[in-house]
Amino acid sequence: RKMLADEKDADLSSRAPVVTILGHVDHGKTTLLDAIRHTQVAEGEAGGITQHIGAYQVEHNGREITFLDTPGHAAFTAMRARGAQGADIVVLVVAVNDGVMPQTKEAINHARAAKVPIIVALNKIDRPDANPEFVKKQLGELGLVPDEWDGDTIMVPVSAKQKIGIEDLLEAILLVADSTSIRANPAGKVVGTVIEAEIDRSKGVMTTLLVQNGTLQAGDAIVAGMAGGKIRAMFDFRGKRIRKAGPSTPVQIMGLSDVPNAGDIFEVVANEKEVRAIVEERKQKEKDRKGSIKRA
Ligand code: GDP
């Protein structure tokens, strides 16, 4: 797989798969993300269920899986556009009472363009008008042939609403993860992708990052697109303060001077002086680019 950092094979070790959930509007992406989250994070837990930072992790059979919790395709599309392969696996949600719809096809095209394997979640199996066999046929016509029909796409019947089939889906994700090489160098160059960012009135710019290579540490100086700064504090997806985060870990950080864009690549640099120099250079380039467009 294409990686953000050039690393020698011998330095790579396996990391948690990063999963994004795509599908047509109203087919149950948000409900499914909540159902998966609920398998582990108890309601009312400190910082727990109410906090959404754009990504979370769950554990299944002692192994971690990272989910991008970004409603809509914004972050995924942005990442793809910048050539950063943010997700390792796409879970395509298809409501079995509705079948293949325009955004279902769009999601398949996105995943294929990014060469990311697809697992299908046949959602809403609890509905009386569910017709999973018909939907499997529809998907088969698009080249996603279910494994039970000798194809190579795993399709898992689920009800996100009634929390049925969630463990099977996690199982399927780990199976697909094992068949692809999902690796990084925890001791290598620290790079990753901005998942989302916002301004908090009291804390300043709060940025969610997905670390994709290396180990990010509190105090590191980073550049993310046109933003940069020193990490003043770092939190895991539960809101717990942490000091280090390795590959496939989503973190929320405090300390950037500006708000970066979802999909921006971030990297650790030597110090704040270097941050300022790089950001200045990028801003100047952007100005020049805009100037030349205006003149043209
Ligand atoms: P999204 O637009 O893809 O994020 O879809 P949502 O998660 O918002 O779900 C759209 C609607 O479908 C909501 O009213 C959900 O309650 C409902 N829904 C989602 N999953 C299921 C399911 O498994 N069974 C049933 N019956 N309804 C579901």
Side-chain angles (χ1 to χ4, degrees), residues 117-290:
I118 299 172
I119 295 171
V120 174
L122 297 164
N123 191 33
K124 309 201 185 185
I125 50 159
D126 60 289
R127 285 186 58 122
D129 56 350
N131 192 346
E133 293 309 304
F134 177 69
V135 176
K136 280 186 220 169
K137 231 182 87 199
Q138 282 190 314
L139 289 165
E141 281 159 13
L142 295 173
L144 294 180
V145 181
D147 51 358
E148 72 209 82
W149 297 351
D150 282 336
D152 49 20
T153 305
I154 302 181
M155 301 198 180
V156 187
V158 300
S159 167
K161 199 174 182 178
Q162 298 190 358
K163 300 188 174 62
I164 298 167
I166 306 300
E167 301 277 313
D168 296 336
L169 182 61
L170 297 178
E171 199 68 44
I173 289 167
L174 291 177
L175 200 71
V176 170
D178 285 338
S179 69
T180 41
S181 169
I182 298 177
R183 302 187 301 169
N185 178 6
K189 182 175 161 55
V190 189
V191 285
T193 304
V194 174
I195 304 298
E196 60 179 51
E198 56 168 33
I199 297 183
D200 179 285
R201 234 186 267 161
S202 56
K203 297 181 203 145
V205 180
M206 297 296 285
T207 309
T208 300
L209 304 173
L210 175 68
V211 180
Q212 287 168 285
N213 196 66
T215 299
L216 187 66
Q217 301 194 40
D220 279 348
I222 71 164
V223 176
M226 305 268 179
K230 191 172 160 156
I231 301 179
R232 284 194 283 126
M234 186 157 84
F235 307 90
D236 69 8
F237 73 92
R238 289 190 171 89
K240 197 181 128 222
R241 203 160 172 151
I242 53 171
R243 298 210 47 87
K244 286 178 175 198
S248 296
T249 313
V251 291
Q252 198 180 37
I253 61 151
M254 264 167 73
L256 294 192
S257 55
D258 278 306
V259 184
N261 295 314
D264 278 347
I265 305 295
F266 79 86
E267 62 181 321
V268 167
V269 299
N271 49 43
E272 284 177 283
K273 199 175 155 204
E274 201 177 325
V275 170
R276 280 192 296 273
I278 295 172
V279 169
E280 267 321 300
E281 192 191 313
R282 286 183 184 173
K283 283 186 174 163
Q284 190 56 48
K285 259 194 195 150
E286 179 73 3
K287 243 192 223 158
D288 294 348
R289 198 181 59 84
K290 283 196 176 139

